[in-house]
Amino acid sequence: MSGDQSLPGEEPVPEEADEAVFWETPDSYGAYPRLAQDQIARLAEHGQRRSMAPNDVLIREGERCETFYVVLSGAVAVVEDYGTPEEHVLRVHGPGRFIGELGLLHGQVAFYTAVAREPGEVLVVSLDQLRHLVSQDSVIGDIVLRACLGRRALLVGQGAGFRIIGSRYSPDTRRLREFAIRNRLPHRWTDLESDEEAEELLRRFGVGPEETPLVIWRDTTLLRNPSNAELARLIGLPSLPAGNHQGDVLIVGSGPAGLAAAVYAASEGLSTTVVEAMATGGQAGTSSRIENLLGFPSGISGAELTERAVLQADKFGARISIPVEATGLHAQDEDHYVVAFADGSEIAARAVVLATGARYRRLQVPGIERLEGTSVHYSATVYEAQQCRTDPVAVVGGGNSAGQAVLFLAGYAPKVHLLVRGSSLEANMSRYLVDQVERHPRVEISLHTEVTEVIGQEVLEELDVVDNRTGGHRRIAVRGLFVFTGADPHTEWLAGTIALDSRGFVLTGPEAQEACAYPEMWHGRGRSCMTLETSLPGVFAAGDVRSGSVKRVASAAGEGAMSIHFVHRHLGHTAAHGGSDSSPHTRPKESAWLA
């Protein structure tokens, strides 16, 4: 392997190092960068050297990742199913490369085993030291984060990790697959209906089809139809500690609005907890590329934006817990609200920020339900795209999410049909996306077009579509359908508690105060409802869940940050009017970032 694998700005690898690592895995995807000598020296300030002998295990599959390794000499193999008949090498790394992927940054368990292939030496850096360094050194931080994201995508694409066995027709199978996909968890799905291996696996573990879906990992762990929370515990996703808790601010939802609120709240000294029912990043986290976000001229994927925000929030001390589904909100006393969760736990906080976003509306047409999760998708990530390399697909929708999905999928599928019920793309899609979509040679745009039927038994075969001007029907041969048709807010659990508009979005500001069932509460506080405040004082809404919000990533992040300004005003006002809880975390100024 030659030195042209260096990243921009890296020092070239010495010639003798090239000769020593000719057999290592090529860096075809940019996921295996080689660190420059000055970067290794910077890391060495925070770690220690350790010798390794052949077959020394550095990271073991199924155990929590707690150490970052840089190969100084010798070689390290990344192996799946280590020590079993199915053992196979995923990749090999030589001097200058580091070992680890996304789970390392989040303290998840490892999806592979890292074992010394040749004697040598490694640099050992603890997880806490790595997180600190990543947040302080932008160059090393970018290299490590991008490599970890790339490696996670490769693991997902290779079908590494745990196995889900279940029927495509099972709602619980779809639930588990959606949870794994949204959280970017490496796994492979064995379809009970069509995969010949499914029956053999069921016999091996002594279970019947009626007990599926199953989650199997390393042939040693078997979960029968686990909840999302049980799967999360198996992998090591962060969960709420036992017992009820109390803090300054509770943020419900972890899309751009929730993560921005977490970063600003925690950085300003508020004890901050974020709870998320599905996956960090919200809908934005599933976006292949966001190109109109300030500060990212070449664009950024939703996954990378999410991981950067999660690292920032973690750096300042915010606690993020997944999956935790909120089921109720009520006042505990004059100064605290309590949010109840599906598992029976509760959290009390002096202020609450609602950032639950909105979910894409499911398409209601004949034949679609049985293919959801297999051929019909409501997000377009690498996982789904890799299933579309040889066949045409269709995207339904006319907004930015649909446009981004079209461009992403066009990089995989030979043809992408964009089906839009309106008369133009310009009505709901940003101009920069319209230009790219219209120019792309693999994209065919059909305006005034709606899907009336999904055709196919085991996989999608055709779509029946209608021209809503003429009423004429035609069929389109596709093997995948991606739906981005408007969104509904996650507010069912808030109905009857706070004021919502006719579509279920949360009212804020003057509209919320006007709709408030008890207007006297505002008179008693001597103030009006603040801009992002709901009909309950001290409960705020930010991002897509808020009525009248601009449905853009930058707007959601801005509202999340701004909500903390109003949280400070509320907490300061409460303390000034005899509030019993004066948190030592609350700063005397309203908001440091507005100072």
Side-chain angles (χ1 to χ4, degrees):
M1 184 175 136
S2 64
D4 61 4
Q5 295 295 327
S6 298
L7 292 176
E10 279 191 26
E11 294 180 9
V13 180
E15 197 63 33
E16 61 269 22
D18 281 354
E19 296 175 1
V21 296
F22 67 92
W23 31 255
E24 75 179 348
T25 306
D27 188 16
S28 304
Y29 302 96
Y32 315 128
R34 197 182 310 284
L35 296 172
Q37 291 302 314
D38 63 323
Q39 293 162 351
I40 294 176
R42 178 88 171 91
L43 285 162
E45 297 173 5
H46 302 268
Q48 53 186 257
R49 293 172 177 266
R50 179 192 301 173
S51 61
M52 60 179 182
N55 300 319
D56 279 354
V57 173
L58 306 180
I59 298 172
R60 191 176 296 277
E61 185 176 353
E63 296 182 359
R64 190 175 297 275
C65 300
E66 296 180 338
T67 308
F68 179 73
Y69 295 96
V70 179
V71 182
L72 301 177
S73 61
V76 174
V78 174
V79 180
E80 189 180 20
D81 296 322
Y82 180 68
T84 73
E86 289 77 32
E87 176 182 327
H88 60 281
V89 175
L90 297 173
R91 39 199 147 266
V92 178
H93 298 300
R97 289 193 180 179
F98 57 85
I99 312 301
E101 54 93 44
L102 198 57
L104 175 71
L105 299 178
H106 297 316
Q108 297 173 8
V109 297
F111 293 96
Y112 55 83
T113 294
V115 57
R117 178 169 172 172
E118 292 187 353
E121 190 177 35
V122 290
L123 178 65
V124 183
V125 181
S126 72
L127 181 56
D128 288 340
Q129 290 168 327
L130 176 65
R131 284 175 171 169
H132 175 76
L133 190 59
V134 164
S135 67
Q136 297 296 323
D137 189 313
S138 60
V139 175
I140 292 180
D142 282 349
I143 292 173
V144 171
L145 180 58
R146 289 184 182 230
C148 287
L149 284 166
R151 294 176 186 189
R152 174 56 63 92
L154 288 172
L155 284 174
V156 169
Q158 292 167 338
F162 58 90
R163 187 192 298 267
I164 298 174
I165 303 176
S167 167
R168 69 183 61 186
Y169 305 116
S170 163
D172 282 319
T173 298
R174 291 202 294 268
R175 168 182 58 79
L176 289 169
R177 292 189 67 217
E178 181 183 10
F179 183 76
I181 291 167
R182 291 286 302 276
N183 283 284
R184 301 172 289 281
L185 300 178
H187 70 286
R188 55 190 177 275
W189 171 49
T190 301
D191 186 8
L192 203 59
E193 310 297 331
S194 60
D195 198 316
E196 295 179 358
E197 190 183 8
E199 187 175 344
E200 178 189 338
L201 286 167
L202 294 182
R203 283 199 304 267
R204 185 195 305 177
F205 286 93
V207 296
E210 70 280 357
E211 297 179 81
T212 61
L214 304 176
V215 170
I216 300 173
W217 198 12
R218 296 178 294 135
D219 283 350
T220 60
T221 303
L222 172 68
L223 301 179
R224 292 175 169 82
N225 193 15
S227 66
N228 289 354
E230 289 173 320
L231 179 55
R233 284 196 293 272
L234 175 69
I235 303 306
L237 295 182
S239 61
L240 288 175
N244 298 339
H245 305 278
Q246 185 168 301
D248 290 324
V249 59
L250 172 65
I251 301 165
V252 185
S254 67
L259 290 174
V263 168
Y264 284 99
S267 67
E268 293 168 16
L270 297 176
S271 60
T272 305
T273 299
V274 183
V275 293
E276 170 58 55
M278 178 57 72
T280 55
Q283 287 188 100
T286 66
S287 177
S288 56
R289 176 121 332 237
I290 305 167
E291 294 190 67
N292 61 346
L293 185 60
L294 183 67
F296 296 93
S298 61
I300 185 172
S301 72
E304 184 174 353
L305 179 66
T306 297
E307 296 306 332
R308 287 177 180 273
V310 169
L311 285 174
Q312 273 186 296
D314 181 74
K315 163 188 170 181
F316 291 119
R319 174 180 293 170
I320 302 176
S321 299
I322 306 171
V324 184
E325 182 183 359
T327 57
L329 168 69
H330 66 270
Q332 182 182 55
D333 51 45
E334 185 179 349
D335 299 322
H336 292 85
Y337 287 100
V338 172
V339 175
F341 303 102
D343 64 359
S345 61
E346 294 183 339
I347 294 180
R350 303 172 68 208
V352 176
V353 176
L354 303 174
T356 49
R359 59 178 173 268
Y360 287 115
R361 221 168 273 137
R362 279 183 146 70
L363 197 60
Q364 303 294 327
V365 296
I368 196 170
E369 186 175 351
R370 67 174 175 270
L371 297 179
E372 288 182 326
T374 56
S375 301
V376 177
H377 310 282
Y378 294 88
S379 63
T381 67
V382 171
Y383 180 84
E384 295 93 2
Q386 287 180 335
Q387 302 176 44
C388 309
R389 289 188 178 277
T390 59
D391 300 302
V393 300
V395 174
V396 178
N400 277 9
S401 296
Q404 291 162 350
V406 163
L407 295 173
F408 177 63
L409 293 168
Y412 291 82
K415 188 171 187 177
V416 180
H417 295 269
L418 176 58
L419 310 180
V420 184
R421 68 178 180 177
S423 59
S424 71
L425 294 181
E426 289 84 352
N428 297 296
M429 191 180 295
S430 296
R431 183 72 245 177
Y432 81 94
L433 278 174
V434 172
D435 291 341
Q436 294 181 58
V437 169
E438 290 180 337
R439 290 197 305 262
H440 203 291
R442 294 187 182 180
V443 176
E444 181 177 315
I445 303 168
S446 299
L447 303 176
H448 300 286
T449 302
E450 299 181 44
V451 177
T452 57
E453 186 180 1
V454 173
I455 301 162
Q457 290 300 315
E458 295 186 352
V459 296
L460 176 61
E461 297 173 3
E462 292 182 308
L463 298 177
D464 187 273
V465 301
V466 63
D467 186 314
N468 56 30
R469 297 167 300 178
T470 67
H473 284 255
R474 63 188 174 99
R475 289 195 172 184
I476 303 174
V478 293
R479 292 296 181 268
L481 176 62
F482 296 81
V483 182
F484 302 91
T485 56
D488 295 317
H490 289 282
T491 55
E492 300 89 347
W493 63 287
L494 294 169
T497 303
I498 60 174
L500 307 175
D501 68 13
S502 59
R503 298 170 57 202
F505 291 87
V506 178
L507 292 172
T508 55
E511 290 180 320
Q513 185 169 347
E514 185 177 340
C516 182
Y518 305 101
E520 61 272 11
M521 73 171 66
W522 297 104
H523 301 303
R525 291 176 178 269
R527 66 174 178 85
S528 298
C529 182
M530 291 181 280
T531 305
L532 298 183
E533 199 166 22
T534 70
S535 57
L536 289 178
V539 178
F540 303 86
D544 288 2
V545 75
R546 190 178 71 82
S547 178
S549 65
V550 178
K551 305 302 189 275
R552 293 289 186 269
V553 172
S555 301
E559 288 192 8
M562 188 167 64
S563 70
I564 303 307
H565 166 63
F566 295 120
V567 165
H568 278 290
R569 286 181 59 181
H570 167 73
L571 297 181
H573 194 279
T574 300
H577 285 76
S580 59
D581 185 355
S582 56
S583 169
H585 299 291
T586 305
R587 298 186 179 183
K589 52 190 174 185
E590 291 180 351
S591 179
W593 67 279
L594 287 175

